[in-house]
């Protein structure tokens, strides 16, 4: 399976807590004013009706050809700062493909692939608009908007391609003070680049603001209620919308759910455990094959072999056929990229086999897919937006390197293989130039229509217990469980899951709470 396709379809449903591999921090504007209020359902819902927002709710989209067969594109206007709706604006990229029929049109179905930082427009045009089940596409106009700060919508920019190449190779398992200082400096330089290139938009890319943008789009599309499928981080976006506008909730599917009640530290540590769980599933599959590059003895032995491989490439990076060598950071990213979809496991086995023979190119290709690095050395803004949104939504996991050192044992308990590196990766928001405006809290969305939460038991990026927690928090939450591997469940091969979700989207009837599929 092509590594770029791996990311752009199911795997860029993306890392949920998002901070895990990207390390972003730094910057000098730490005293920037707090301009975006934390989520407040009553305040935000009422302000959306304020006279100064009327021009946004009353705008007309001018649809045009996208250059992609069957799809139309338009530009949605929204206030940069909802506290100052008569001030600067942002322009958001929107795309749609109309309902194909037969059957009565049910309205618009908005989709978001997660991230944060994944292009919803790219996801719609590359997969959802042509790959969602035909009965759903027949009845709904499929619609996507790139969130503010993402892809085509006022994208956050931070580093050049060569700078990102350097950044992604920084050692995330520092062995001494010099390496700790080097990692901290990399995080600071990353965030300083974001502040320099995107300082105006940086304080205004929170999930609350994006959810409010979605409500403007709902109204402009002519829908009384929002119908929505969000994957991974998209579940947090959908839950936030429900909190802000419970009376405007139509049919919401939250697949690969995040838990909004958790702190950044707990999210990162839980996600670390999720990748360990997924690796065990990969290893159990691998050792049954005689050519498994991690041996055929046991899952534990495969884990030990994996950890030894990371140590070896940390000490002596592998050649890749290009100027970048494969060190531990890129190798770890490559392995984690393949955890999102069990369909990528054969590719990972091949990449590890090649690495065992001294060729790091296979793992480098997987890492590049994760980072959305193009063959010409340019990067999409996925990782820039990922950091910008995450660092705004929650206070940082750590106040400095000393906190990380204290937390490493708990991360290693969650994952002996990935724990140390992912603990240090969570330092990224510590130096972020824009103070966090959100906070961890439970979301009940009292008064909302039934909301369908989908969880996968061995999901690497959004651990299953997050789905259980979100479904329990939502006053109208219903939990649908997929017993299996991979990140998210809808549209990934389970007839049981797809039938339950399709029935909900088409008829408004959710499955029985607690329904399980395999």
């Amino acid at each position: 399976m092509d590594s770029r396709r791996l990311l752009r379809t199911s795997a860029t449903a993306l890392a949920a807590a998002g901070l895990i591999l990207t390390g972003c921090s730094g910057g000098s504007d730490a005293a920037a004013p707090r301009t975006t209020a934390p989520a407040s359902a009553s305040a935000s819902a009422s302000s959306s009706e304020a006279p100064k927002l009327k021009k946004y709710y009353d705008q007309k989209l001018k649809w045009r050809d996208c250059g992609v067969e069957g799809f139309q594109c338009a530009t949605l206007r929204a206030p940069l700062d909802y506290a100052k709706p008569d001030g600067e604006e942002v322009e958001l990229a929107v795309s749609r493909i109309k309902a194909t029929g037969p059957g009565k049109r049910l309205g618009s179905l908005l989709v978001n692939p997660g991230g944060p930082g994944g292009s919803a427009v790219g996801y719609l045009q590359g997969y959802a608009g042509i790959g969602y089940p035909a009965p759903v596409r027949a009845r709904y106009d499929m619609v996507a908007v790139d969130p503010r700060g993402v892809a085509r919508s006022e994208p956050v920019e931070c580093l050049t391609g060569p700078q990102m190449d350097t950044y992604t190779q920084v050692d995330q398992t520092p062995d001494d003070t010099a390496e700790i200082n080097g990692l901290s400096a990399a995080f600071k330089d990353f965030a300083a680049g974001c502040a320099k290139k995107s300082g105006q938009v940086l304080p205004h890319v929170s999930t609350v603001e994006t959810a409010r943008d979605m409500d403007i789009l709902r109204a402009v599309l002519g829908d009384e209620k929002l119908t929505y499928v969000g994957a991974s981080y998209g579940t947090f976006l959908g839950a936030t919308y429900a909190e802000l506008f419970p009376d405007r909730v139509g049919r919401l599917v939250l697949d690969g759910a995040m838990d909004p009640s958790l702190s950044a530290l707990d999210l990162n540590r839980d996600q670390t455990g999720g990748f360990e769980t997924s690796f065990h599933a990969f290893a159990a599959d691998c050792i049954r094959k005689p050519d498994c590059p991690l041996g055929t003895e046991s899952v534990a032995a495969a884990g030990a072999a994996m950890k030894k491989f990371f140590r070896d490439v940390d000490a002596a990076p592998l050649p890749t056929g290009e100027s970048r060598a494969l060190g531990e950071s890129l190798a770890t990213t490559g392995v984690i990229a393949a955890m999102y979809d069990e369909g990528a496991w054969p590719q990972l086995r091949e990449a590890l086999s090649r690495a065992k023979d001294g060729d790091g190119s296979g793992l480098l290709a997987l890492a590049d897919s994760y980072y959305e690095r193009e063959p010409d050395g340019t990067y999409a803004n996925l990782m820039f937006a990922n950091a910008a949104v995450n660092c705004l939504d929650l206070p940082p996991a750590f106040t400095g390197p000393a906190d990380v050192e204290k937390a490493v044992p708990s991360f290693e308990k969650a994952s002996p293989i990935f724990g140390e590196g992912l603990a240090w990766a969570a330092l990224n928001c510590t130096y972020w130039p824009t103070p966090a405006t959100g906070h961890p809290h439970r979301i009940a969305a009292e008064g909302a229509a039934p909301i369908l939460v989908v969880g996968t038991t061995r999901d690497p990026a959004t651990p299953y217990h997050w789905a259980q927690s979100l479904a329990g928090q939502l006053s109208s939450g219903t939990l649908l469980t997929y017993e299996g591997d991979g990140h998210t469940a809808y549209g990934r091969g389970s007839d049981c899951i797809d039938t339950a979700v399709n029935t909900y989207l088409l008829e408004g009837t959710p499955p029985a709470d607690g329904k399980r599929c395999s």
Side-chain angles (χ1 to χ4, degrees):
M1 183 177 186
D2 178 72
S3 61
R4 307 198 81 70
R5 184 172 178 271
L6 160 69
L7 178 72
R8 297 180 194 280
T9 54
S10 58
T12 6
L14 291 165
L19 309 181
I20 270 219
L21 287 175
T22 62
C24 306
S25 337
S28 58
D29 194 19
R34 184 179 177 121
T35 56
T36 307
S40 168
S42 59
S44 294
S46 61
S47 67
S48 72
E49 306 296 342
K52 289 183 179 180
L53 285 176
K54 187 175 186 299
K55 65 178 180 179
Y56 294 111
Y57 277 84
D58 289 347
Q59 68 185 288
K60 304 297 183 184
L61 294 179
K62 297 180 180 179
W63 294 102
R64 61 188 184 275
D65 181 72
C66 289
V68 179
E69 184 177 357
F71 292 89
Q72 296 175 305
C73 288
T75 300
L76 180 77
R77 295 179 295 108
L80 173 67
D81 184 349
Y82 275 91
K84 301 175 182 178
D86 54 353
E88 297 290 325
E89 296 182 344
V90 291
E91 295 187 342
L92 308 176
V94 181
S95 184
R96 75 175 178 186
I97 184 168
K98 289 187 175 181
T100 59
K104 181 181 178 182
R105 178 183 174 277
L106 295 175
S108 304
L109 172 56
L110 193 64
V111 296
N112 182 282
S119 171
V121 170
Y123 176 72
L124 176 75
Q125 295 176 356
Y127 171 64
I130 55 177
Y132 264 35
V136 173
R137 291 184 286 113
R139 306 287 298 281
Y140 285 100
D141 292 345
M142 302 288 292
V143 182
V145 55
D146 278 347
R148 51 176 63 206
V150 174
R152 303 163 179 84
S153 296
E154 314 282 352
V156 172
E157 298 295 341
C158 301
L159 301 178
T160 66
Q163 288 172 331
M164 273 296 287
D165 281 348
T166 299
Y167 177 74
T168 59
Q169 295 178 74
V170 173
D171 189 348
Q172 292 198 21
T173 56
D175 299 317
D176 52 37
T177 300
E179 290 189 351
I180 290 173
N181 290 341
L183 180 58
S184 296
F187 290 158
K188 292 175 182 178
D189 288 345
F190 184 103
C194 300
K196 181 178 180 180
K197 294 186 176 185
S198 302
Q200 183 181 29
V201 73
L202 217 56
H204 300 292
V205 294
S206 71
T207 297
V208 167
E209 289 160 307
T210 294
R212 297 187 68 178
D213 296 340
M214 289 203 311
D215 194 58
I216 292 176
L217 179 58
R218 172 204 57 78
V220 170
L221 292 171
D223 294 318
E224 291 186 8
K225 307 278 187 178
L226 179 73
T227 301
Y228 171 83
V229 176
S232 195
Y233 159 79
T235 67
F236 178 48
L237 178 57
T240 299
Y241 181 91
E243 179 180 38
L244 296 172
F245 309 105
D247 58 324
R248 299 171 198 173
V249 169
R251 301 168 188 178
L252 265 59
V253 178
L254 309 181
D255 184 13
M258 289 184 62
D259 182 350
S261 72
L262 297 179
S263 68
L265 174 60
D266 288 335
L267 282 169
N268 278 277
R269 189 161 43 205
D270 279 4
Q271 196 178 57
T272 298
F275 283 114
E276 183 78 12
T277 297
S278 185
F279 178 82
H280 285 181
F282 162 74
D285 177 74
C286 186
I287 64 173
R288 290 196 292 267
K289 297 172 172 58
D291 60 346
C292 177
L294 299 175
T296 58
E297 180 182 342
S298 65
V299 169
M306 188 78 263
K307 192 169 183 178
K308 180 180 184 301
F309 171 76
F310 288 148
R311 288 197 304 267
D312 289 345
V313 294
D314 184 30
L318 296 177
T320 62
E322 58 172 276
S323 59
R324 293 175 299 152
L326 184 84
E328 183 179 14
S329 292
L330 286 172
T332 302
T333 305
V335 172
I336 283 180
M339 294 297 100
Y340 283 79
D341 184 352
E342 66 271 27
W345 290 356
Q347 183 182 353
L348 178 57
R349 288 197 305 272
E350 179 185 353
L352 289 172
S353 294
R354 288 163 67 178
K356 192 174 179 181
D357 293 334
D359 176 5
S361 61
L363 284 172
L364 181 64
L366 281 166
D368 284 350
S369 75
Y370 187 89
Y371 286 126
E372 289 199 351
R373 183 188 190 273
E374 300 294 341
D376 64 1
T378 60
Y379 287 76
N381 95 308
L382 170 69
M383 292 301 168
F384 308 145
N386 181 273
V389 175
N390 279 315
C391 295
L392 202 58
D393 277 349
L394 288 175
F398 301 117
T399 61
D403 284 351
V404 182
E405 291 180 303
K406 293 177 184 176
V408 163
S410 67
F411 274 73
E412 290 186 317
K413 182 178 180 181
S415 173
I417 298 171
F418 305 114
E420 182 185 7
L422 299 186
W424 283 103
L427 184 64
N428 61 348
C429 288
T430 300
Y431 313 101
W432 198 248
T434 304
T437 56
H439 60 275
H441 64 286
R442 294 175 63 84
I443 292 180
E446 294 286 349
I451 297 172
L452 180 57
V453 179
V454 186
T456 298
T457 56
R458 293 186 295 277
D459 190 312
T462 50
Y464 175 63
H465 64 87
W466 289 0
Q468 293 175 300
S469 178
L470 179 60
Q473 293 171 42
L474 291 167
S475 62
S476 59
T478 294
L479 179 64
L480 173 64
T481 298
Y482 174 59
E483 296 177 349
D485 298 295
H487 185 37
T488 72
Y490 182 50
R492 298 191 67 246
S494 169
D495 289 340
C496 175
I497 291 290
D498 289 357
T499 298
V501 173
N502 292 347
T503 299
Y504 170 66
L505 289 174
L506 296 173
E507 301 175 13
T509 305
D513 187 29
K515 179 179 175 63
R516 303 180 77 88
C517 297
S518 58

